[in-house]
Amino acid sequence: MALRIAVTLASCRHEAHLADFGGDWAEQEIKRNVEGRFGMKIPERVKQLVEAFPVVYPGAHCELNFRNPLELLVATILSAQCTDKRVNMVTPGLFKKYRRAADYANAPRTELENAIKSTGFFRSKAKSIRGAMRAIAEEHNGKVPDTMEELRALPGVGRKTANVVLGNAFGKNEGVVVDTHVVRLSKRLRLTRHSEPEKIERDLMKLVPREHWTDWSHWLIWHGRRRCFARKPDCFNCEVFRLCPSGRIFLRTGEARKAEAAAN
């Protein structure tokens, strides 16, 4: 392990500086300072990550419970600023009571708000759900549309939500879902210098083969929840440590969990 993390202090300081890059993508700077010293170009690392993640997380999937596109759309709207676990506690009763788009659209506002209150921001979420469901009932014959353009035209539905529905309910890779885990891991893996989700998505769409866009989000989300935590990532036990430029820095600086803590 000592050999794995043996880097000079000057090198660590410079690599830590790279994590704070802002503005446009500076390819030459990244290639010179990250790829050159890390010994592997970004496309090659992505290729190896695409091979490694399915082995590490063979069952990676959307962790929101749903049976059809309508349920997934509702669950995804509820998941904003809320854990999937909490959403999954709320949706069984919700899905039993409201089965069609028209059911949500015609539900009394306060009734729907009370049903989803524990997910937080319940007023704005109820407004989004009722608005989207009314549009689906009136403009799409009660069926959730399966194109990015039509989904984004629904009230309260942004690109992230549309990507979740398209990728997981319709099996269409139209983009990469970028949530807080994907943002964090994309930056730690040095696949982007951006912080804005749509800019990060554009970078990932250039690097990751299209057929893996939906799975890529699942892999990073699962890894973020199980290993690459926001605070004290478990770099000591990380299955893709050799493909991550940040791991050796975190171990050196103490930002990662200590070996003893990671083992417990």
Side-chain angles (χ1 to χ4, degrees), residues 93-114:
L94 199 68
F95 294 161
K96 184 177 181 180
K97 187 171 186 178
Y98 308 108
R99 299 178 180 274
R100 302 172 303 147
D103 295 336
Y104 288 97
N106 297 325
R109 177 180 56 82
T110 54
E111 177 183 286
L112 184 58
E113 287 178 353
N114 287 331

Side-chain angles (χ1 to χ4, degrees), residues 178-186 220-225 228:
V178 179
D179 74 345
T180 55
H181 298 291
V182 176
V183 169
R184 182 174 72 255
L185 270 67
S186 295
L220 263 61
I221 291 170
W222 277 50
H223 197 59
R225 288 173 174 168
C228 195

Side-chain angles (χ1 to χ4, degrees), residues 74 78 82 84-96 112 114-120:
V74 172
L78 293 177
C82 182
D84 289 356
K85 182 178 180 180
R86 167 56 60 182
V87 173
N88 289 336
M89 293 172 64
V90 170
T91 51
L94 199 68
F95 294 161
K96 184 177 181 180
L112 184 58
N114 287 331
I116 65 173
K117 194 169 187 177
S118 64
T119 66

